[in-house]
Amino acid sequence: MAVASARANIALVKYWGKRSAALNLPAAGSLSLTLAALETRTTVQLTDGPQDRLLLDGEPANAKATGRVSRFLDLVRKRADRHERAEVVSENGFPTAAGLASSASAFAALARAATAAYGVEANPRELSILARQGSGSAARSIFGGYARMHAGARDDGSDAFAEALEGARIELAAAIAVADAGEKAIGSTEGMDRTRDTSPYHAAWLDLVDRDLAAAELALRKADFEELAEVVEGSCLAMHANALAARPGILYFGPSTLWALERVRALRAEGTPVMFTIDAGPHVVAFTPPEHLDLVERALAEGPVARVITSQAGDGARLESE
């Protein structure tokens, strides 16, 4: 048996679209920050049963989720040259499948636990490549702090991996305005596919990502918060504009999303260093230096949100026991 934990990451420079669905290869790179509060803990126990089993947050998972995990375990079994099935127990400390990157922490933790359970040696880059095949953003959750995802160009995906970003001189924490919403109606994979196939803005979006990545990395190294905020918010809104232009349009925002977005803008206009981003869901993530986190949390809690989750930057995926 092996137990591992991993934390979700939130992209500052977004990726939205895949160049290969089979291998989960992103069409563009991305840049993220791993958050300590968004943790998944996963146990993998090998069994002599006829099929894999998945318990998610204490309940048997549906066939779709179990099949996704089983296909991922097949990748590990193939590398290990072993055939035992497994019972996987996964517990999230935050909302699942709601637009807070729970698949990133889930598959990063699963990659770490499954390789240990099946006796597979894997370095961080190999774990990142493996985790990516479960969820594109999971490649970044192998690492703590800022992580840079490389889209790669090879058909086999061997150059599509994340790595820790060195030299950043801006420390960020996050206040997440959680909307009163359950599981999102359109999953990220479905949304990306529809956007790629029907949005007239998609090619322009892909061209923008590389420029935003270069600008964001430069701002982090120069400790230029204002420049970073411009890139991060621009990348977020461009991603959602791309999805909105799909046919039919994909709208992840809710009423509280727009309220929180405007609240962040007002805080920055008043002198608080804070910026927003929004993943494929209705929740607004406000990034700010740690010393301003309490103020930002209080400001967001005043509005029509279900709750506010605060978090410092988090560590990468780690093995807890085996």
Side-chain angles (χ1 to χ4, degrees):
M1 183 177 73
V3 182
S5 64
R7 283 133 291 279
N9 66 82
I10 300 296
L12 285 82
V13 176
K14 307 294 191 187
Y15 101 91
W16 189 250
K18 300 177 183 181
R19 62 184 175 90
S20 169
L23 292 177
N24 235 7
L25 298 178
S30 53
L31 174 67
S32 66
L33 181 66
T34 299
L35 296 180
L38 305 184
E39 183 176 86
T40 298
R41 185 178 175 87
T42 297
T43 301
V44 176
Q45 172 75 61
L46 303 191
T47 73
D48 56 4
Q51 59 191 17
D52 298 312
R53 296 183 65 234
L54 172 63
L55 293 177
L56 181 57
D57 294 332
E59 300 290 338
N62 60 34
K64 181 179 178 181
T66 302
R68 186 177 179 185
V69 165
S70 188
R71 289 189 295 274
F72 184 84
L73 291 174
D74 285 342
L75 300 173
V76 182
R77 285 188 279 256
K78 181 178 180 180
R79 182 164 173 175
D81 194 23
R82 296 177 65 171
H83 307 287
E84 301 102 313
R85 294 293 171 175
E87 179 174 271
V88 177
V89 178
S90 185
E91 298 177 343
N92 283 325
F94 61 102
T96 301
L100 285 176
S102 59
S103 66
S105 54
F107 279 95
L110 182 59
R112 194 70 187 86
T115 51
Y118 283 97
V120 172
E121 294 289 336
N123 62 37
R125 179 173 296 186
E126 291 169 331
L127 283 172
S128 181
I129 291 171
L130 175 63
R132 186 209 73 226
Q133 294 174 79
S135 166
S137 54
R140 302 187 305 247
S141 278
I142 296 298
F143 303 94
Y146 296 106
R148 168 74 156 86
M149 181 70 194
H150 301 280
R154 298 173 187 163
D155 290 340
D156 65 358
S158 59
D159 58 349
F161 58 86
E163 59 185 351
L165 181 69
E166 304 295 339
R169 295 172 51 214
I170 297 177
E171 184 180 359
L172 292 176
I176 305 168
V178 180
D180 187 9
E183 186 170 339
K184 57 190 180 185
I186 302 173
S188 295
T189 297
E190 179 186 350
M192 288 183 193
D193 289 347
R194 186 189 302 177
T195 303
R196 177 200 61 212
D197 293 341
T198 66
S199 174
Y201 299 159
H202 193 59
W205 156 255
L206 293 177
D207 289 341
L208 176 66
V209 174
D210 283 342
R211 298 198 300 274
D212 280 347
L213 284 169
E217 290 184 26
L218 180 60
L220 284 167
R221 293 190 171 102
K222 293 192 320 183
D224 189 330
F225 189 93
E226 287 298 324
E227 184 175 331
L228 181 65
E230 181 178 341
V231 174
V232 169
E233 294 184 355
S235 176
C236 163
L237 294 176
M239 184 199 89
H240 284 277
N242 188 20
L244 278 166
R247 304 284 177 92
I250 302 165
L251 176 62
Y252 288 113
F253 291 6
S256 69
T257 310
L258 296 174
W259 178 88
L261 185 157
E262 290 297 335
R263 190 71 185 97
V264 169
R265 283 182 162 175
L267 284 172
R268 192 159 76 251
E270 295 162 4
T272 302
V274 61
M275 68 185 86
F276 68 78
T277 194
I278 308 157
D279 273 359
H283 319 295
V284 173
V285 182
F287 286 113
T288 188
E291 60 268 27
H292 298 280
L293 185 59
D294 287 347
L295 184 155
V296 174
E297 177 190 12
R298 290 195 302 271
L300 291 175
E302 294 170 354
V305 301
R307 60 178 169 138
V308 179
I309 299 172
T310 59
S311 182
Q312 304 295 325
D315 298 329
R318 59 175 178 255
L319 190 64
E320 306 285 353
S321 65
E322 63 178 318

